[in-house]
Amino acid sequence: MTQYKPSGIFATLYMKLVIVESPTKAKTISRFLGKEYKIMASIGHIRDLPKSKIGVDIEHNFAPQYVVSPDHKAKVKEIKEAAKKAKEIYYATDEDREGEAISWHLTQILEQDPEKVKRITFHEITKQAILNALEKPKQLDMKLVEAQQARRILDRLVGYELSPFLWRHVKRGLSAGRVQSVAVRLIVERENEIKNFNSEEYWSIEGIFGTKDKNILEAKLQSISQKALDKMDIKNQEEADKILNECKKQAWKVSAIEQKRKSKQPPAPFTTSSLQQEANNRLSFSAKQTMTLAQKLYEGLEIGSEGQIGLITYMRTDSVNLAENFLQEAKNYIGREFGDKYTLDKPRTYKTKSKGAQEAHEAIRPTDPARTPDSLKGFLDNGLLKLYTLIWQRAVATQMPEAILNATRVDIGGGEYIFRATGQQVVEPGYLKLYPDQDKDKLLPELSENDALEAQDIKGVQHFTEPPARYSDATLVKALEEEGIGRPSTYASIISTVIDRGYVERDDKKRLQPLPIAFDVTELLMKRFPDIVDLEFTARLESSLDHVAEGTIRWEPLMQAFYGPFHKQLEIQEQAMTKESEKEAEGEVCTECGQPMSVKRGRFGRFLACTGYPECKSTRPLKGEAPPPQPEPTDEKCPKCGAPMVKKTGRFGPFLACSRYPDCKSIVNIEKPVKDQNGNPIPCPDCKQGTINERKSKKGKLFYSCSRYPDCKQAYWDRPNGEPCPKCGYATLLRKGKTMYCPQEDCKYKAAIELE
C-alpha cells in the first residue's frame, strides 16, 4: 500500500520541527535534513529566574518561579506557531545539563509532557550523527534538568542574599557568588603569597669544558665529596668563591657516562579543561576566547563547496574517549600521510582522571581527521585556524607511536667536585612528528670515560628565589579542576565573571591580578562566611550536584541542607556587624551640630558621618582607618587655564582635575581602553584610527566611545566584543554578557553566548 504524502498547504501540517539553541547550529543542521524538517533556534534559555526578585519560593520546597525574558517573547511566539503545524517535535539542544534544561523549558512553554517528548543528542554536527540521533530519539533526562535547576537556585540564593550584605557593609554594587567568591579567594591568596614572599640568595657553579676535538660541554656542579648539592646549598658569593678557587686547581676528565632510552607517550585528547590550559599556554588564548572559538568550530562554519559543517565534536566534556570510527579514520589518515610505521596495531585509549567527571561521551576531536588544518586555511580566520590545528594535531597524535628519546648524562670529575651535563636526542619521533612539544634536542659531543677535558670557564652565578607567579587562565583552570570547584562548562565564565565584576584585572603579562576590593571582600567572607569560600565545602557541594544528576539524591533536600545554615549565618553576621559599627561610633558626636555619629563605608573605606544627614553633612575619618588618598600630581596641563592637573578619585572612579580648584573647576576623564580576549585594545569600527574606551555618563552609566572624540563620535551603550559579525563583518557588541549581536540595522545578527 502506497503511503499518502501530503503536498502544498497540507504539507506544513505534517512538518517535523527540530529545536536547537543556536542559529548557527540550526543553519548547519538544516543542510542535512529534507524539506519536511523545520529547524528553529531558541537563542539559548527562553526562561529563567526573574531579575527583579529572588524568584525562588523558599517556603515551598524552593520552587523556582520562571519567567520568559522580554528578549525572548517574540521567539516564544514564533516557536509556538511552528509547533502548532508540526506533527513531530524534536529537541536537539546540547547534550549536557544546560542543554537538557533548555529542552525542558521548551516543553513547558509548548505544554508537552516531558516523558513523551522526543529528545535527540549528538556529539558532533555531521549528517550521519544527526540521522542516527533522529532514528533513536529518547526521553528527557529529568535528573540532568534537576541538577541544572539546583545549581541555578543555589547560585541565586547566594547572590541575592549575600550581595546586599556586601552592599551594606563593604561597597554598594558588589556581587558575591557561590563559585566566583572561591575563585577570587584563590587569586587573592596567591597575591598575598607573592607580597609576603621573602627572596633568598643562592648561587650555582657553572662550567664550560672543552674536549680534545674542540667541542664544548656545558655543565653544572652536581656534588662535592659525593654529597649531592641542593639548590640552596651555596648561599652567598663568599661560599661560591671558595669553591671556584678549589676548582681552578683541579684537572678534569669524564668520570661517568650514562645513556638511557626512554619512551614518551602522546598526551590524552582534549577535554574542556585541558583545551583551555593548552590554548592558553601555546596560543595565549583566554579561557573565554577558547570556548567562544570552540563553539563556532562545533556549531559549523562555511567551508567552500562543502557548505556549513561542524568541524569539531562537542567542546564541553571531561571524557578522553574517542569514537571507534574516528580511531579507524585517524589510522587510515596516518598510514597515508606518514606510512605504516606511524600507525598502531591496536588503538590507544585513555582514562579520565578529573574529579567528578560528568555527562561525558567523548573527547574534543575533529569530526573528520582527513580535514587537515591546511585544507581549511582559506576558510577560517587566524584564531579559529589556530585552535582547530591544536585540536586536530592532539587528537590524531594520540593514535601514533610513542616517541623514543636518548637521554645522556655525563659526569665530569675533578677531585671531590663533580659537574654534570645532560642531553636529549629524539631517536624515533613517533607522535612528535605531528604534535611537537616545547622540549628541544640538546646534543652532547661523543665522549668516552676518562677522556681529558679542559676547563675553559668556571664561574659562580647568583640567583634569587622567586615568588609563585600570578594565576594565568591555564593555571587557575587547573587549580579549580584539581580542587573540584566548578565543572567544564563553568571555568571560562568564572574567570570572565570575576573580571567583569571588578574583582580582578589582567596585568601586562595577561595574568590575573586582584584589585583592592577583592582583598576586602575575601577577608570579610572568610571571617563571616567561611563555608562560602571554603574549597572543600564548595567541592562537596559540586559533588552533591553530580549526585543529583546521577539520581542518587533529590535536589530539594540539598537546597534545605545548604540554605538553612546559610540564611541563619547571614542573620547572625548582619546583627554582629551592626553592633560592631554601633560600638565603634559610641560616644562620637558631630563637631558641627552635636548629633551622634554613625559608621559608614565609602569608596575609601569606613568613616564617621553625622546622623543628621542631609541637613548636616559633616564627616571625619574613623580611628584606625586610612585617610582618603590625596590628589596625585601629573604632567597633564589644564585645558582651560594651563595649570597642572592632579589625579583624584570620585564616585565613578579616577579622573583629572585642575589643581586650582575651586577657582578652576575643569575636569578630564581618564580613559580606560576596552580590550579583546587577547588583552589588545579594540579598534574603532567607524574611523579605524582610534580605539574604543570605557566611559561614564553624567548619571554614572557606562558607555563606550572612540578615543578620537570629538573628531569621531562613534559610541555604544553595550560593550564592544572584539569579534567581527559572521554575517557582515562589522564589530559585534555584547549585551549583558549573554548575547552577541551586530549593531548594523540591516544585519540584525544575534547569537547567545552559552558559557555557564
Side-chain angles (χ1 to χ4, degrees):
M1 180 178 176
T2 303
Q3 185 177 2
Y4 169 69
K5 293 184 178 180
S7 61
I9 190 171
F10 297 102
T12 60
L13 299 175
Y14 288 83
M15 174 188 66
K16 296 178 180 179
L17 177 63
V18 179
I19 309 177
V20 298
E21 65 275 75
S22 158
T24 308
K25 187 175 175 181
K27 183 179 178 182
T28 306
I29 291 174
S30 65
R31 289 189 58 247
F32 308 130
L33 300 179
K35 293 182 179 179
E36 70 270 26
Y37 287 93
K38 182 176 178 62
I39 320 297
M40 298 189 72
S42 67
I43 319 292
H45 281 277
I46 57 171
R47 296 200 312 174
D48 199 1
L49 299 175
K51 294 182 178 180
S52 58
K53 58 181 181 178
I54 194 166
V56 179
D57 191 345
I58 295 167
E59 301 299 325
H60 296 89
N61 257 348
F62 301 90
Q65 299 162 349
Y66 293 114
V67 296
V68 176
S69 68
D71 291 345
H72 280 81
K73 286 185 177 179
K75 176 59 66 175
V76 167
K77 183 179 179 181
E78 185 183 346
I79 292 175
K80 283 184 174 181
E81 289 298 320
K84 291 176 183 177
K85 302 174 184 178
K87 180 183 178 182
E88 295 176 338
I89 302 176
Y90 295 90
Y91 297 90
T93 51
D94 289 342
E95 57 171 340
D96 57 11
R97 297 178 190 176
E98 287 297 313
E100 209 73 17
I102 291 172
S103 286
W104 177 75
H105 283 294
L106 286 164
T107 68
Q108 300 302 293
I109 290 291
L110 299 178
E111 298 179 349
Q112 285 190 298
D113 184 347
E115 294 184 3
K116 296 180 180 179
V117 304
K118 293 183 177 181
R119 171 80 166 112
I120 60 172
T121 58
F122 33 85
H123 197 62
E124 56 184 305
I125 306 179
T126 58
K127 184 174 183 178
Q128 194 57 52
I130 304 300
L131 295 178
N132 289 343
L134 286 168
E135 286 180 7
K136 299 177 181 178
K138 55 187 180 181
Q139 289 184 338
L140 273 175
D141 188 337
M142 290 306 298
K143 299 188 295 294
L144 292 183
V145 174
E146 289 173 355
Q148 188 276 341
Q149 181 169 266
R151 177 188 291 278
R152 186 74 186 93
I153 293 173
L154 272 175
D155 292 342
R156 174 56 64 96
L157 292 174
V158 173
Y160 261 67
E161 297 209 357
L162 193 53
S163 295
F165 178 87
L166 295 180
W167 298 355
R168 289 189 292 272
H169 300 290
V170 182
K171 180 183 176 183
R172 187 162 186 82
L174 290 175
S175 69
R178 186 181 58 83
V179 178
Q180 110 187 17
S181 297
V182 177
V184 172
R185 173 188 173 174
L186 288 172
I187 296 168
V188 164
E189 288 182 339
R190 175 60 58 87
E191 194 71 13
N192 285 332
E193 285 182 60
I194 295 170
K195 288 180 178 178
N196 297 328
F197 184 82
N198 293 318
S199 184
E200 294 183 51
E201 179 185 10
Y202 69 97
W203 287 69
S204 63
I205 308 297
E206 301 177 5
I208 298 177
F209 299 87
T211 70
K212 61 182 180 180
D213 299 323
K214 297 185 179 180
N215 292 313
I216 62 170
L217 200 63
E218 296 180 3
K220 287 186 177 182
L221 184 61
Q222 174 71 18
S223 64
I224 302 176
S225 301
Q226 298 184 341
K227 181 185 177 184
L229 281 176
D230 287 333
K231 175 182 172 180
M232 305 296 295
D233 277 356
I234 305 174
K235 295 180 173 57
N236 50 51
Q237 185 173 358
E238 184 181 354
E239 293 181 9
D241 287 344
K242 182 179 178 182
I243 294 171
L244 290 173
N245 290 332
E246 291 294 323
C247 287
K248 290 176 182 178
K249 304 173 185 177
Q250 306 297 325
W252 302 96
K253 67 176 182 177
V254 176
S255 58
I257 298 177
E258 182 179 284
Q259 287 189 328
K260 284 185 178 179
R261 283 212 167 188
K262 61 180 184 179
S263 60
K264 191 172 184 180
Q265 295 272 2
F270 282 127
T271 62
T272 304
S273 168
S274 60
L275 176 63
Q276 290 174 2
Q277 293 176 55
E278 195 76 346
N280 187 245
N281 291 329
R282 291 197 179 212
L283 307 177
S284 298
F285 288 175
S286 69
K288 183 175 181 179
Q289 182 183 14
T290 298
M291 294 306 290
T292 301
L293 294 173
Q295 183 100 26
K296 293 178 181 179
L297 292 171
Y298 165 69
E299 292 184 342
L301 295 154
E302 289 285 343
I303 310 297
S305 59
E306 291 189 84
Q308 183 147 330
I309 54 174
L311 296 177
I312 65 169
T313 53
Y314 192 52
M315 65 287 163
R316 295 190 183 101
T317 176
D318 41 24
S319 172
V320 289
N321 296 325
L322 290 170
E324 289 184 12
N325 66 303
F326 173 82
L327 296 175
Q328 185 58 51
E329 290 169 358
K331 181 177 181 178
N332 294 342
Y333 171 81
I334 293 166
R336 287 195 309 271
E337 295 297 318
F338 301 104
D340 290 340
K341 67 178 286 189
Y342 284 96
T343 62
L344 301 177
D345 295 332
K346 182 181 178 182
R348 183 182 287 111
T349 58
Y350 297 83
K351 290 185 178 180
T352 300
K353 296 180 180 178
S354 63
K355 279 186 182 180
Q358 65 178 32
E359 57 210 25
H361 297 87
E362 196 177 352
I364 305 169
R365 61 164 176 82
T367 54
D368 182 358
R371 191 176 288 115
T372 65
D374 283 344
S375 70
L376 299 175
K377 280 185 177 177
F379 307 107
L380 304 185
D381 66 31
N382 193 41
L384 288 166
L385 185 61
K386 283 182 176 180
L387 190 66
Y388 179 80
T389 301
L390 191 66
I391 293 168
W392 182 87
Q393 288 179 331
R394 178 86 161 225
V396 176
T398 63
Q399 301 311 304
M400 297 178 74
E402 58 195 16
I404 306 300
L405 310 174
N406 246 353
T408 306
R409 189 180 79 188
V410 176
D411 285 351
I412 302 167
E416 59 182 333
Y417 298 98
I418 300 293
F419 283 75
R420 178 167 291 172
T422 58
Q424 177 177 283
Q425 182 180 9
V426 176
V427 180
E428 294 288 346
Y431 79 92
L432 293 175
K433 195 171 185 70
L434 186 64
Y435 190 69
D437 58 22
Q438 277 85 357
D439 295 334
K440 295 183 178 179
D441 282 355
K442 182 183 177 184
L443 300 179
L444 300 180
E446 291 289 333
L447 296 166
S448 300
E449 284 194 25
N450 296 317
D451 280 357
L453 299 172
E454 178 188 357
Q456 295 183 355
D457 184 29
I458 299 179
K459 61 184 179 181
V461 179
Q462 185 184 37
H463 307 276
F464 292 93
T465 54
E466 294 184 355
R470 285 175 177 148
Y471 283 112
S472 64
D473 284 41
T475 54
L476 183 60
V477 166
K478 184 178 181 181
L480 292 170
E481 184 180 36
E482 289 176 346
E483 295 290 349
I485 308 298
R487 286 297 179 260
S489 62
T490 65
Y491 297 138
S493 60
I494 290 169
I495 296 172
S496 297
T497 297
V498 299
I499 293 174
D500 293 343
R501 294 184 177 173
Y503 287 110
V504 175
E505 66 180 5
R506 295 191 188 278
D507 64 15
D508 55 0
K509 295 181 180 179
K510 299 181 183 178
R511 296 184 181 272
L512 302 171
Q513 177 181 2
L515 294 167
I517 194 65
F519 293 89
D520 295 341
V521 172
T522 299
E523 181 182 2
L524 178 70
L525 292 179
M526 289 182 68
K527 180 180 178 181
R528 306 287 177 175
F529 302 93
D531 281 349
I532 291 297
V533 288
D534 181 73
L535 301 181
E536 289 187 12
F537 178 84
T538 306
R540 287 198 303 272
L541 205 51
E542 290 285 1
S543 181
S544 296
L545 290 170
D546 292 343
H547 291 318
V548 173
E550 294 160 4
T552 54
I553 65 173
R554 293 286 300 162
W555 71 274
E556 295 94 337
L558 173 62
M559 294 297 105
Q560 189 60 56
F562 170 83
Y563 182 75
F566 166 71
H567 187 70
K568 184 177 180 181
Q569 180 72 358
L570 190 66
E571 291 177 334
I572 291 171
Q573 295 304 327
E574 184 68 64
Q575 293 176 5
M577 291 200 71
T578 301
K579 287 181 180 179
E580 288 176 15
S581 295
E582 290 173 353
K583 186 175 181 181
E584 286 182 296
E586 189 176 351
E588 298 284 353
V589 294
C590 178
T591 55
E592 293 188 13
C593 68
Q595 295 190 71
M597 303 287 276
S598 63
V599 177
K600 299 289 183 182
R601 183 178 286 270
R603 59 185 178 274
F604 305 121
R606 297 183 307 159
F607 62 95
L608 289 172
C610 180
T611 55
Y613 180 87
E615 287 76 16
C616 179
K617 299 179 180 179
S618 174
T619 63
R620 65 172 181 264
L622 186 65
K623 291 178 182 177
E625 294 288 318
Q630 296 300 308
E632 299 177 28
T634 72
D635 296 330
E636 300 288 331
K637 300 295 183 182
C638 175
K640 288 186 178 180
C641 69
M645 302 285 277
V646 293
K647 183 180 177 182
K648 294 184 176 182
T649 302
R651 59 178 300 195
F652 301 131
F655 64 95
L656 295 177
C658 183
S659 57
R660 293 182 59 245
Y661 178 86
D663 296 326
C664 177
K665 297 181 180 180
S666 174
I667 62 171
V668 176
N669 288 327
I670 296 177
E671 296 183 342
K672 181 180 178 181
V674 179
K675 297 181 180 180
D676 62 19
Q677 296 300 323
N678 285 323
N680 301 316
I682 295 176
C684 174
D686 191 40
C687 71
K688 298 188 171 47
Q689 296 179 38
T691 55
I692 297 296
N693 290 335
E694 179 185 297
R695 291 176 173 163
K696 286 190 177 180
S697 68
K698 292 181 179 180
K699 294 184 178 180
K701 185 176 180 181
L702 275 178
F703 71 98
Y704 306 90
S705 66
C706 180
S707 59
R708 294 181 63 246
Y709 178 85
D711 295 327
C712 176
K713 298 182 179 180
Q714 183 65 270
Y716 311 97
W717 287 115
D718 290 320
R719 187 186 190 280
N721 192 38
E723 294 278 338
C725 173
K727 286 180 66 177
C728 70
Y730 194 81
T732 56
L733 307 180
L734 198 60
R735 179 176 292 145
K736 299 177 182 178
K738 294 183 179 180
T739 304
M740 182 173 73
Y741 73 96
C742 179
Q744 297 288 76
E745 290 187 7
D746 56 348
C747 178
K748 298 182 180 179
Y749 170 80
K750 183 166 68 172
I753 304 296
E754 288 293 335
L755 292 174
E756 184 273 329

